[in-house]
Amino acid sequence: MGEIRFGVDDLAQLRFALSPLRESVAALRASADPGGHAIHLPWIKKALTVGHERTALLPHLPELEALVPPPRCPLAEIEEELILTPPGHREALLAWWRAGVRPYWPRIRAVLEADLAYRTRQLAEDGIQEVFAHLHPSLRWAEDRLTGAGLPAGGLALDGGGITLAPSAFTNRCVLLPARHGVAPCLVYPVRAVGTLWERNAEPGDGLARLLGRSRAGLLGRTSTPTTTTGLALQTGLSVGAVSQHLAVLRDAGLVTSHRYRREVYYRASELGEALLGRATA
């Protein structure tokens, strides 16, 4: 058991972020240990067919896990993160990302973004204590400190720069990435609803497609978790403009709701939309 001690300034500097680089390394670990990541078997079967891009990195996996820098922001691209890694591994990591992770990134990112939307709403409604209390069953928040497995055994006192929280689809425990290159430390935690990651979305029934149109019905079926117009465009093959127009119609009809997080707008099926989907797929 370890702990992280917070000051007042640290609590005010809580951030959320996504890390495609961290997910790429965690995905590599999952591909090397299928038994410990059974939930990802649909993806692992495909990842094992990736050739040199994967096998070249496996001997360096422990080193890569130690060198991955903490993420800077929610919208970081992997190329930006690679700049902070040792030059010797950059090309190999980028090759693995392109072959093994990027083809599935829209699906992975949608689950990660849904988690961020949930946590930020929880922070606004219930406070920081509730956020920490529900990140992982092993964590406990009391007074000014977070305790639990995966945290520094000797304790870590933050220096007023706060901490970043980053959900991970391929991590089943909490991992603390130490501060590096002027970036605050990052607590990586298992994402919510990871069980839905490789599920095939139920296609809306013909009745719902006739009522809404097949494109709108398909988009509605993909908003059970919050997602963006860009994410939906990548999933469906529709243009961003077409997705935006369809979502506007669905929102005006009360079938989806929207909220803004930083520069992105997230859409989610409303209670009415979920009810329609439930009847259509029953």
Side-chain angles (χ1 to χ4, degrees):
M1 296 288 288
E3 67 176 34
I4 302 174
R5 296 184 293 277
F6 291 74
V8 175
D9 291 339
D10 297 306
L11 295 176
Q13 294 291 325
L14 181 70
R15 310 173 190 86
F16 294 92
L18 302 182
S19 175
L21 178 57
R22 168 72 198 180
E23 286 301 272
S24 295
V25 175
L28 186 66
R29 167 65 69 186
S31 76
D33 180 23
H37 299 82
I39 200 167
H40 295 300
L41 284 178
W43 170 81
I44 289 175
K45 291 176 181 178
K46 298 175 182 178
L48 292 179
T49 66
V50 176
H52 180 73
E53 295 91 343
R54 173 177 172 273
T55 57
L57 283 176
L58 287 176
H60 306 285
L61 186 51
E63 178 186 357
L64 292 172
E65 290 173 323
L67 292 176
V68 170
R72 290 175 176 267
C73 68
L75 303 174
E77 299 292 339
I78 192 168
E79 291 80 5
E80 300 173 73
E81 295 188 294
L82 283 171
I83 293 174
L84 301 179
T85 63
H89 294 304
R90 289 177 190 170
E91 289 188 11
L93 281 167
L94 188 59
W96 161 243
W97 154 261
R98 289 171 173 168
V101 181
R102 187 171 65 180
Y104 313 96
W105 184 242
R107 181 188 291 254
I108 297 168
R109 180 170 174 170
V111 173
L112 298 176
E113 288 179 339
D115 184 279
L116 292 190
Y118 174 83
R119 306 291 177 186
T120 53
R121 186 169 63 250
Q122 185 180 51
L123 178 63
E125 294 178 356
D126 303 318
I128 197 169
Q129 294 87 350
E130 286 299 301
V131 173
F132 283 132
H134 293 90
L135 284 181
H136 191 267
S138 68
L139 298 181
R140 295 290 183 272
W141 173 262
E143 297 180 355
D144 64 345
R145 61 197 62 201
L146 187 67
T147 61
L151 304 184
L156 170 67
L158 299 178
D159 60 2
I163 193 170
T164 301
L165 303 180
S168 173
F170 293 97
T171 296
N172 49 28
R173 60 188 179 88
C174 292
V175 178
L176 183 69
L177 305 181
R180 193 179 298 144
H181 303 296
V183 181
C186 176
L187 182 63
V188 179
Y189 63 91
V191 72
R192 296 176 69 251
V194 69
T196 67
L197 180 55
W198 307 115
E199 287 181 354
R200 293 187 176 183
N201 290 316
E203 290 296 324
D206 289 340
L208 188 59
R210 288 196 301 270
L211 175 66
L212 301 177
R214 190 158 297 279
S215 292
R216 288 174 188 163
L219 289 171
L220 180 62
R222 288 174 168 82
T223 58
S224 293
T225 57
T227 188
T228 64
T229 52
T230 301
L232 289 169
L234 289 170
Q235 292 178 52
T236 62
L238 297 172
S239 70
V240 172
V243 170
S244 181
Q245 291 177 5
H246 288 316
L247 288 173
V249 173
L250 294 173
R251 183 177 57 193
D252 290 345
L255 299 181
V256 300
T257 60
S258 63
H259 72 276
R260 179 175 292 277
Y261 176 69
R262 295 182 182 264
R263 291 180 289 175
E264 300 272 18
V265 177
Y266 291 81
Y267 294 86
R268 182 170 188 170
S270 65
E271 290 186 9
L272 177 58
E274 292 282 7
L276 282 176
L277 287 170
R279 293 171 185 170
T281 58

